[in-house]
Amino acid sequence: MNSSRHADTLNDAFTKNFISFTFCVIINCINGSFVYIYHKSEDLQQDSRYVLYIHLVINDMIMLTLTVTLQILTYTIPLSFSPCCILLLIIVTSNKNSPLNLAGMAVERYIAVCHPFLHTHMCTVHRAYALIALIWSISFVPAITDVIIILATQPRSFFSKSYLCYPSFVYNTPHHEVHSVLVQVLLFSFVFLTLLITYLKVVCTARAISASNQASAKNARNTIFLHGIQLLLCMLSYFSPIINLIMLSIWPNDRTKIFFCTFLFTSVFPRLLSPLIYGVRDQKFSSRLKLYFCCNFRKSVE
């Protein structure tokens, strides 16, 4: 979220909000097309791989929509603690969902390649939905902990004021700093190790299996590798304060522009990666997406 509203002119504020809103609509339309294809295809709904993928896409849509909405609200309507807290609760939870979902998708690909006979029994649709529920539960714990710390440490007058609804402004106690660092380190370490181990396991298995399964192993290996790249991009939002400090040391007079650019590249653009990295390169999704748009184009021409 862009935290520089007080230093922006009216023209700058309108431009930033217009750019954020435009990118939000474009990215959500692209992601929404994948959600539409998924819900129109019964076979995709019966595959745990696509259940986890669509959850990642929907989660990114929720996070992007609320993040841009919150940015616009900070320029237009002063927010009290309660609505700000609710928005931050959902945004922080959905933000932590993405890396955990990537880890789950990597494990599913590992089982499909390294234990193909167990895949049908272990990676069912019901278990995929159970994993999604577990992901939301785990991600909700750090988010609600931030709120509990505020309730326990701040006086009553704190909750009656209006705030610039940005995590570092609302959650600004030393306890929040320790909690934030601890959660980020644990989350990043767990997901990174999961991706690394599954990638190495798939690579080792690919060398031992028959030539007929080499293509499947190669696709799984590439998918997990791309998950790793996507993880690093998703984690950029955690490093945005450091990026801002570095950029401000180089261009100290462009504070608001730096904050806004960092917001776009760490919070907005990564939400486009799910369909581009995973959906477009998947044969089932890409073929049905092309068929869908071709049919609509023909109908519009006719």
Side-chain angles (χ1 to χ4, degrees):
M1 289 167 286
N2 185 24
S3 60
S4 56
R5 69 165 185 171
H6 295 302
D8 289 332
T9 64
L10 181 61
N11 184 56
D12 289 339
F14 175 80
T15 302
K16 291 179 179 180
N17 286 327
F18 179 78
I19 292 173
S20 299
F21 178 79
T22 302
F23 277 120
C24 177
V25 172
I26 293 173
I27 293 173
N28 278 345
C29 285
I30 296 173
N31 287 346
S33 65
F34 284 91
V35 177
Y36 176 82
I37 295 298
Y38 170 80
H39 285 291
K40 285 293 183 179
S41 307
E42 292 185 4
D43 59 327
L44 297 182
Q45 298 177 37
Q46 301 304 316
D47 192 329
S48 59
R49 173 186 181 185
Y50 295 107
V51 172
L52 291 174
Y53 164 67
I54 268 317
H55 170 252
L56 181 66
V57 173
I58 294 175
N59 181 78
D60 284 348
M61 293 175 67
I62 293 172
M63 180 183 172
L64 178 60
T65 301
L66 292 181
T67 301
V68 173
T69 299
L70 187 56
Q71 180 198 356
I72 295 174
L73 288 176
T74 57
Y75 281 95
T76 55
I77 304 173
L79 292 178
S80 59
F81 176 79
S82 295
C84 174
C85 183
I86 293 172
L87 285 173
L88 289 181
L89 194 66
I90 302 173
I91 291 172
V92 172
T93 302
S94 60
N95 186 34
K96 290 177 173 55
N97 282 343
S98 294
L100 290 174
N101 200 100
L102 290 173
M105 294 169 69
V107 172
E108 187 275 332
R109 286 294 84 199
Y110 157 74
I111 296 174
V113 174
C114 300
H115 304 283
F117 297 107
L118 298 176
H119 182 264
T120 304
H121 301 287
M122 294 182 65
C123 300
T124 63
V125 173
H126 293 294
R127 289 188 176 182
Y129 284 121
L131 177 60
I132 291 172
L134 179 63
I135 288 172
W136 276 91
S137 300
I138 293 174
S139 299
F140 181 74
V141 172
I144 195 64
T145 301
D146 284 329
V147 179
I148 293 173
I149 292 174
I150 282 289
L151 295 175
T153 58
Q154 298 296 338
R156 289 187 176 182
S157 59
F158 178 87
F159 308 106
S160 60
K161 300 177 182 177
S162 297
Y163 297 96
L164 177 59
C165 196
Y166 187 74
S168 62
F169 285 88
V170 179
Y171 305 142
N172 58 359
T173 68
H175 304 287
H176 286 106
E177 294 180 5
V178 175
H179 173 256
S180 177
V181 172
L182 181 62
V183 170
Q184 291 175 19
V185 170
L186 289 176
L187 179 65
F188 181 80
S189 300
F190 169 75
V191 178
F192 176 77
L193 288 175
T194 301
L195 294 177
L196 180 62
I197 293 172
T198 52
Y199 179 82
L200 293 177
K201 288 284 188 180
V202 169
V203 170
C204 294
T205 303
R207 296 175 179 176
I209 61 179
S210 60
S212 60
N213 293 326
Q214 286 290 339
S216 176
K218 182 180 179 180
N219 288 335
R221 182 188 63 195
N222 292 339
T223 299
I224 296 174
F225 177 73
L226 291 173
H227 285 346
I229 297 176
Q230 190 173 356
L231 171 66
L232 293 177
L233 293 171
C234 287
M235 299 298 286
L236 279 177
S237 59
Y238 297 128
F239 300 104
S240 57
I242 300 175
I243 297 173
N244 287 333
L245 288 175
I246 295 173
M247 300 296 286
L248 284 172
S249 65
I250 302 174
W251 297 286
N253 296 325
D254 297 323
R255 179 175 178 272
T256 59
K257 294 179 181 178
I258 289 172
F259 282 2
F260 180 68
C261 290
T262 304
F263 164 72
L264 288 181
F265 282 102
T266 61
S267 299
V268 176
F269 291 153
R271 308 283 78 81
L272 183 60
L273 296 175
S274 296
L276 294 182
I277 286 181
Y278 195 84
V280 172
R281 63 185 295 270
D282 184 86
Q283 292 183 355
K284 287 186 179 181
F285 257 113
S286 59
S287 60
R288 296 179 192 195
L289 196 63
K290 292 176 183 177
L291 180 63
Y292 169 73
F293 280 112
C294 287
C295 291
N296 284 346
F297 179 75
R298 289 178 182 177
K299 289 180 181 179
S300 63
V301 171
E302 292 174 359

